């Protein structure tokens, strides 16, 4: 991988290095139409604008074997669904082709580096672009594959003897989430109002209605589906990689008090459906391949055949962090962990999700479940765990402390992979600021 | 309401009487493009074909105050979302206008009755049309508002002391369902494969993978949303009627053994997401207004303000039945009940769903939860209840019997309202036939 680019201010230590080339949907002050772009260093390359400026034969040299009319059409839409639907072999060629345009020694200088009109029209500073939801999301499913999170939450609510339910090691537990409230990085989140049982032990149980007192985050990895499956047909775990478009960071905002009262017997509902934030740039599946590792969680259970993967490296070592910024602007990193603590891989989640024939569509989103490490409160992906459900405080910079989130707080998730030699693939930011509940 | 129509073979006892005028999406052998239509008697009136054949001024007489260009555009789409988005006041005028075209004494005979070209091109026998999914469904939520079902299922799994969870009388319990596997009446349903715990008492628990042995149905009413709400803004229960487009029958196919093993702690997943069938014709909200009744279920709990409705008639008396047809063609009605046994109204479900700011979009679908009556096994909306989870058999015509569904069985839900004087508003059919599981 070339490490230097002709782009101004380029650093290989950028989240959006030459090794990455994530895809997103941008608009700009001069063109409000949302459209596909890639991020590189401090810039977005507007693909909808750039691609038609180049003659088709030259483009074919950069993206060999790709139907250029089809690609141009896909990259002129307001979401990435059409591009995702072209399939992983096409994503691979297109990512590689764009990687070839950007190094100092690019074999195609005339396409962008020396093409002043192209650079002016299609290269935009990230600070000047507005990001949009990258995909039209048909269905969103949230899994529960973070072992240490599932265990810690189980201990809080049921004690260490019964922390994990008996199905946990046999199948990737998941539930259907709400697609309509998925928002992109930076979108404000309003504190939800809901039914809350202030005293869970009092009888008869008498809920009140008010703003959640236990507004929490969940640090997750999101996975977008590219290739769909027909209703009635399962995806083989060994083929499931070909159904993956790419990955984002995901914050599954959660109102713990609303959730606790409502969730029996059918699962979380209003405690979750008020908002889920994803990072704006989708890191393509191929960009993460160099960072495969074996999951840190050993599952000694003999797996059913449909969950057995080839190879051992089902996880990625994405370094993750949770930053909390208070209304006065002071920022504290409250959690650090890695996605290597996910016990189930996304191919296993896809194989399980489709086992009974459930159709997945291009643009469907899977959440990994909250990711926590084994090492105590500083490696946790939720305040629920960090504070033992509000019993302890998390100390912040500036003499602040939190059990759960206050109005005016912002939470920012960050994540990146690093191969130790300076090659970095990062996710950018997944942030949201809490606004006061509606007065009722 | 006029009781006679100039249409051939018309009977006011049809599900699709002049009092109904349900909307659906059809295609025909000569025109495969899915397009909006209404059903009347034995016919579909193809609105996309018919509307542009009439001059705009005349159409304005039939649909006074409606923007005819906007209406024509909405009724030329391949789903009813654009029409639904026009809002309930428009639906009211359009339904009334179509009702005026069809009686023997129509004031507009030149538009259809005496318009031979219009009749030939736009009126199609229902036997000759193919029905499609009427809406593009962004999110699907399934509630649990059928009191007798919730109670009976609670007794089966937890005994009569703990049959209802403590939240049940305080809020409409619901969970997010899978939108991608919602199919229209007549679509085959493949028996799902899943993880099943054959002996729930054995330790350690050891699941197997195989076709469900407990394939069940759930008789429900579905409700489509017309008017959306913004994220962060709740819908007032007193305004929620204006957010409703119309109703369908809904069969929430369920695999009880898959569900039992997977659903703790996050709710049903593969036990439900392999298929949900809805009837093809959407009965508009206004068509059901004459059939409002007080719910048969008295909730003595003091409700939170956001759930308090004006008026007492939150339910409808839709007579419902479940028919089971075996592979040899013999049909048995195995359950009869009414939607008056729903304890929560759809406005209450909408108010609760949006309480924390969850946005609902045009085309979102709400399921009522399984509807059962108080009167024993013949009034039940699921085989789980009819057979006490497989302990007893349901006897069928032709010396057949069932605990759960066999391959080759078809289940048909039917529903209609009747005012006692011969005015009938019905839903048609919501049917699906079970195909064998994929061999793995
Ligand atoms: Ca989660
Ligand atoms: Ca149901
Ligand atoms: Mg969420
Ligand atoms: Mg279903
Ligand atoms: Ni249009």
């Amino acid at each position: 991988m070339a490490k230097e680019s002709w782009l101004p201010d380029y650093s290989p230590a950028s989240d959006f290095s030459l090794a990455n080339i994530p895809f997103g949907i941008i608009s700009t002050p001069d063109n409000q139409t949302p459209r596909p772009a890639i991020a590189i260093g401090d810039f977005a390359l507007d693909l909808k604008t750039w691609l038609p400026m180049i003659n088709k034969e030259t483009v074919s040299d950069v993206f060999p074997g790709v139907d250029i009319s089809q690609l141009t059409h896909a990259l002129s839409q307001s979401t990435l669904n059409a591009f995702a639907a072209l399939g992983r072999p096409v994503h691979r060629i297109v990512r590689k082709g764009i990687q070839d345009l950007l190094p100092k020694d690019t074999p195609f200088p005339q396409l962008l580096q020396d093409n002043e009109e192209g650079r002016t029209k299609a290269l935009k500073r990230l600070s000047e672009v507005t990001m949009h939801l990258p995909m039209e999301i048909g269905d969103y499913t949230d899994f529960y594959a973070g072992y240490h999170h599932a265990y810690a939450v189980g201990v809080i609510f049921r004690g260490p003897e019964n922390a994990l339910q008996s199905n946990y090691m046999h199948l990737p537990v998941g539930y259907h989430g709400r697609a309509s409230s998925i928002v992109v990085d930076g979108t404000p989140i309003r504190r939800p109002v809901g039914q809350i049982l202030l005293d869970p032990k009092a009888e008869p149980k008498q809920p009140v209605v008010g703003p959640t007192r236990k507004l929490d985050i969940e640090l997750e990895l999101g996975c977008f589906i590219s290739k769909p499956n027909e209703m009635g047909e399962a995806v083989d775990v060994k083929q499931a990689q070909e159904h993956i478009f790419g990955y984002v960071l995901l914050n599954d905002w959660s109102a713990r008090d609303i959730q606790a009262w409502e969730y029996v017997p059918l699962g979380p509902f209003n405690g979750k459906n008020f908002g889920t934030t994803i990072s704006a740039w989708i890191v393509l599946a191929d960009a993460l391949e160099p960072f495969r590792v074996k999951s840190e969680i050993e599952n000694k259970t003999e797996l059913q055949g449909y969950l057995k993967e080839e190879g051992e490296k089902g996880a990625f070592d994405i370094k993750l962090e949770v930053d909390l910024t208070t209304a006065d602007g002071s920022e504290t990193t409250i959690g650090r962990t890695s996605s290597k603590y996910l016990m189930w891989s996304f191919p296993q989640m896809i194989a399980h999700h489709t086992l009974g024939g459930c159709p997945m569509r291009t643009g469907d989103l899977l959440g990994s479940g909250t990711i926590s490490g084994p090492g105590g409160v500083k490696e946790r992906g939720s305040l629920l765990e960090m504070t033992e459900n509000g019993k302890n405080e998390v100390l912040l910079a500036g003499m602040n402390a939190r059990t759960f989130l206050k109005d005016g707080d912002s939470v920012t998730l960050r994540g990146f992979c690093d191969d130790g030699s300076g090659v970095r693939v990062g996710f950018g930011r997944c942030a949201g600021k809490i606004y006061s509940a509606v007065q009722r």
Side-chain angles (χ1 to χ4, degrees), chain A:
Chain A
M1 177 59 51
K3 291 210 179 152
E4 295 191 60
S5 167
W6 51 262
L7 278 158
D9 310 324
Y10 176 79
S11 157
S14 164
D15 268 5
F16 307 140
S17 72
L18 284 168
N20 192 349
I21 317 293
F23 282 67
I25 295 289
I26 66 164
S27 66
T28 47
D30 61 315
N31 181 353
Q32 309 273 336
T33 308
R35 55 201 190 272
I38 60 97
I40 176 70
D42 296 336
F43 291 87
L45 173 61
D46 172 350
L47 299 169
K48 181 181 178 184
T49 299
W50 172 74
L51 208 49
M53 294 174 72
I54 314 299
N55 86 55
K56 269 199 180 184
E57 276 180 40
T58 318
V59 176
S60 282
D61 293 341
V62 188
F63 306 130
V66 173
D67 178 331
I68 301 301
S69 304
Q70 202 180 44
L71 179 66
T72 305
H73 183 260
L75 290 175
S76 64
Q77 307 300 310
S78 61
T79 67
L80 291 167
N81 291 55
F83 177 62
L86 297 179
R88 191 152 167 189
V90 172
H91 310 152
R92 201 168 279 149
I93 296 165
V94 172
R95 174 168 167 271
K96 169 74 169 61
I98 295 172
Q99 282 178 322
D100 286 347
L101 293 174
L102 300 165
K104 274 208 167 133
D105 56 353
T106 171
F108 307 106
Q110 75 284 10
L111 295 197
L112 197 59
Q113 182 182 14
D114 299 342
N115 171 355
E116 197 186 327
E117 196 196 352
R119 284 200 328 268
T120 308
K121 291 196 172 162
L123 266 182
K124 303 286 172 183
R125 286 261 168 200
L126 288 178
S127 55
E128 286 158 20
V129 307
T130 300
M131 301 306 301
H132 301 264
L133 206 59
M135 303 286 273
E136 188 186 340
I137 301 165
D139 277 290
Y140 158 48
T141 298
D142 198 17
F143 283 91
Y144 199 50
Y147 175 87
H148 295 297
H149 169 76
Y151 184 82
V153 171
V155 169
I156 291 170
F157 291 117
R158 289 179 299 275
E161 297 301 305
N162 303 299
L164 292 176
Q165 305 284 353
S166 51
N167 55 17
Y168 191 81
M169 308 304 277
H170 289 278
L171 57 83
V173 170
Y175 66 103
H176 303 119
R178 181 80 192 176
S180 71
S181 53
I182 298 172
V183 295
V184 74
D185 168 58
T187 307
I189 298 292
R190 195 183 276 283
R191 179 181 299 272
V193 167
Q195 276 201 25
I196 299 167
L197 203 59
L198 289 180
D199 182 355
K201 285 176 185 151
E203 291 290 346
K205 297 192 190 305
Q206 184 53 57
V208 298
V209 171
T212 176
R213 290 149 168 87
K214 292 190 172 180
L215 184 54
D216 198 359
I217 55 137
E218 294 196 333
L219 166 65
E220 303 196 23
L221 194 58
C223 172
F224 277 110
I225 297 298
S226 52
K227 186 175 164 182
N229 65 297
E230 291 289 323
M231 185 161 159
E233 291 177 17
V235 175
D236 189 307
V237 69
K238 297 177 185 69
Q239 306 298 322
Q241 292 289 358
E242 291 300 305
H243 292 252
I244 295 176
F245 179 48
Y247 300 91
V248 289
L249 302 176
L250 185 152
N251 184 351
D252 177 19
W253 303 95
S254 299
R256 300 300 178 193
D257 41 8
I258 297 172
Q259 186 182 349
W261 170 233
E262 77 184 357
Y263 91 108
V264 178
L266 297 176
F269 187 56
N270 282 354
K272 299 278 194 179
N273 65 21
F274 60 92
T276 302
T277 304
I278 61 172
S279 53
W281 293 100
I282 300 177
V283 175
L284 296 193
D286 280 302
L288 282 187
E289 282 300 323
F291 307 99
R292 284 198 170 280
V293 294
K294 194 175 162 184
S295 167
E296 283 290 314
I297 309 299
E298 197 184 353
N299 185 352
K300 289 181 179 157
T301 309
E302 172 70 16
L303 292 183
Q304 299 292 336
Y306 80 95
L307 291 171
K308 282 184 185 156
E309 294 184 278
E310 280 170 337
E312 293 202 308
K313 296 187 168 181
F316 300 106
D317 185 12
I318 306 169
K319 283 142 186 101
L320 298 164
E321 67 174 59
V322 182
D323 296 341
L324 196 159
T325 306
T326 55
D328 62 16
S330 69
E331 181 169 359
T332 312
T333 297
I334 58 173
R336 279 186 218 275
T337 182
S338 161
S339 61
K340 69 186 178 187
Y341 297 114
L342 291 171
M343 192 180 80
W344 300 102
S345 71
F346 283 103
Q348 288 175 316
M349 296 181 217
I350 292 168
H352 182 68
H353 203 321
T354 61
L355 175 65
C358 179
M360 310 205 75
R361 296 176 289 190
T362 302
D364 284 352
L365 177 63
L366 309 179
S368 62
T370 311
I371 304 170
S372 292
V377 294
K378 291 191 189 290
E379 296 189 13
R380 299 286 150 175
S382 70
L383 288 163
L384 176 66
E385 294 161 83
M386 295 178 198
T387 69
E388 284 187 69
N389 197 16
K391 267 201 267 178
N392 316 311
E393 287 192 318
V394 173
L395 298 181
L396 306 179
M399 296 305 288
N400 286 306
R402 290 288 180 276
T403 50
F404 292 98
L405 297 174
K406 289 195 178 177
D407 293 350
D409 286 349
S410 295
V411 174
T412 304
L413 311 182
R414 298 179 211 273
F416 67 93
C417 299
D418 191 326
D419 74 352
S421 77
V423 174
R424 180 177 167 119
V425 168
F427 286 79
R429 204 179 53 196
C430 175
K433 182 173 178 174
I434 305 303
Y435 283 72
S436 305
V438 179
Q439 294 301 319
R440 292 176 65 90

